[in-house]
Amino acid sequence: PELKGIAMGNALVAPATQWTTMPRMAFTGGRDAGGSLRRGVVNTTVFRQMRLRIPRCRELVQECVDERNNSVKRAHLCLQGMIVCAGEQIYDVRLAGRNPYDLRQQCGLSSGRSDMFANMCYDFRLETEFLNAPSTKRALGVPEDRSWVPCNLTTTVPFILSGDELANYENRILTLLDAEVRVLVYAGDTDFMVDWLGCKAWVENLSWPHRIDWSRSERKPFYVEGEPRGKWRSSHGLTFLQIFDAGHMVPMDQPEVALAMFRRFVRPPREPAPGAA
């Protein structure tokens, strides 16, 4: 079957661009750009410290991506990049007692819990029990001796050390758009892990033939049941959708909005674009 479109939620596509917006998101909550969060979560002193990390972050990202001869050196550079660009910024938000996946929620570092979910800000017991149930494993064809855990570091760490986590994937987006595959980039605007300001920035700065047309297209309210639940802009197959009052996991935080978004996206091109009332 022919690929018609892809949708990416709070996706890390251009790390060097997206990580630079994290200090602003932490300090203002994105409200200065039209976000739904009422305020930021860090003070001016912390904000300035976060901004001072940006130049070194950019250097490390570039060095990580450029190093292809020495795998040990590359792994070191990429790991340092993740620590400086994301780890330390996230730590500041956690110190402020906030959930980096949803800045509306409290989630301190010293929660008093001793189980594996203590520092995840979410309780995934039900999901873990379901996915590790023998009946589920049989249905999915998973070996009985293989366990599922959230945020599996066996997968995550090699992804970081190889440089894949820090790579820029804008060219992949351009390839899709050039092939007339529709691309929907949506972002919950209370997420900090991959904040909507950064998602919006890489889309706006994407170097493609229709960049000017896209920037001139109208930014409209995204209506669900007659109520504005976000803002969207679309042109030549590329759509950016900001979703109000949603963190990193939009379908969990705003299920009705997520369903409406999905239904509109899979409509044939001749029908109204996502966001139409």
Side-chain angles (χ1 to χ4, degrees), residues 130-203:
F130 171 74
L131 289 169
N132 284 318
S135 58
T136 304
K137 289 183 179 181
R138 284 195 298 271
L140 296 176
V142 177
E144 279 288 328
D145 61 347
R146 183 169 297 176
S147 298
W148 182 89
V149 294
C151 297
N152 190 332
L153 294 181
T154 303
T155 301
T156 303
V157 172
F159 196 69
I160 294 172
L161 298 183
S162 68
D164 287 351
E165 181 82 9
L166 289 78
N168 186 300
Y169 294 98
E170 289 175 307
N171 283 338
R172 305 295 179 90
I173 304 301
L174 295 176
T175 299
L176 292 171
L177 291 169
D178 187 58
E180 298 185 351
V181 174
R182 292 179 298 135
V183 175
L184 167 62
V185 180
Y186 68 92
D189 72 358
T190 64
D191 179 28
F192 178 74
M193 295 296 287
V194 188
D195 67 72
W196 76 279
L197 297 175
C199 295
K200 180 171 174 282
W202 79 256
V203 173

Side-chain angles (χ1 to χ4, degrees), residues 94 98-108 111 113 115-128 150-151 190-193 246-250 252-253:
R94 293 299 304 275
R98 291 291 167 171
N99 178 355
Y101 293 95
D102 190 340
L103 293 178
R104 298 172 300 171
Q105 301 178 3
Q106 293 185 345
C107 182
S111 62
R113 292 166 55 191
D115 58 78
M116 65 180 292
F117 305 108
N119 284 314
M120 295 185 64
C121 297
Y122 294 99
D123 191 337
F124 292 116
R125 283 185 179 86
L126 290 176
E127 290 85 352
T128 302
C151 297
T190 64
D191 179 28
F192 178 74
M193 295 296 287
H248 193 71
M249 293 170 279
V250 170
M252 182 182 74
D253 295 335

Side-chain angles (χ1 to χ4, degrees), residues 72-115:
V72 175
K73 183 179 179 180
R74 180 178 68 238
H76 175 73
L77 289 168
C78 297
L79 181 59
Q80 284 297 111
M82 280 298 299
I83 292 171
V84 173
C85 297
E88 293 180 358
Q89 310 288 51
I90 294 167
Y91 185 72
D92 284 334
V93 167
R94 293 299 304 275
L95 280 179
R98 291 291 167 171
N99 178 355
Y101 293 95
D102 190 340
L103 293 178
R104 298 172 300 171
Q105 301 178 3
Q106 293 185 345
C107 182
L109 284 170
S110 56
S111 62
R113 292 166 55 191
S114 59
D115 58 78

Side-chain angles (χ1 to χ4, degrees), residues 38-57:
R38 294 184 178 181
R39 62 183 67 85
V41 300
V42 302
N43 59 32
T44 303
T45 300
V46 175
F47 168 62
R48 288 172 178 167
Q49 292 173 345
M50 295 176 78
R51 287 188 64 186
L52 287 175
R53 298 183 186 120
I54 298 302
R56 182 56 180 153
C57 166

Side-chain angles (χ1 to χ4, degrees), residues 205-224:
N205 292 302
L206 189 65
S207 181
W208 64 312
H210 303 294
R211 178 178 177 179
I212 295 177
D213 289 339
W214 196 92
S215 65
R216 289 175 177 173
S217 61
E218 184 180 358
R219 190 164 177 244
K220 305 175 183 178
F222 181 80
Y223 289 100
V224 178

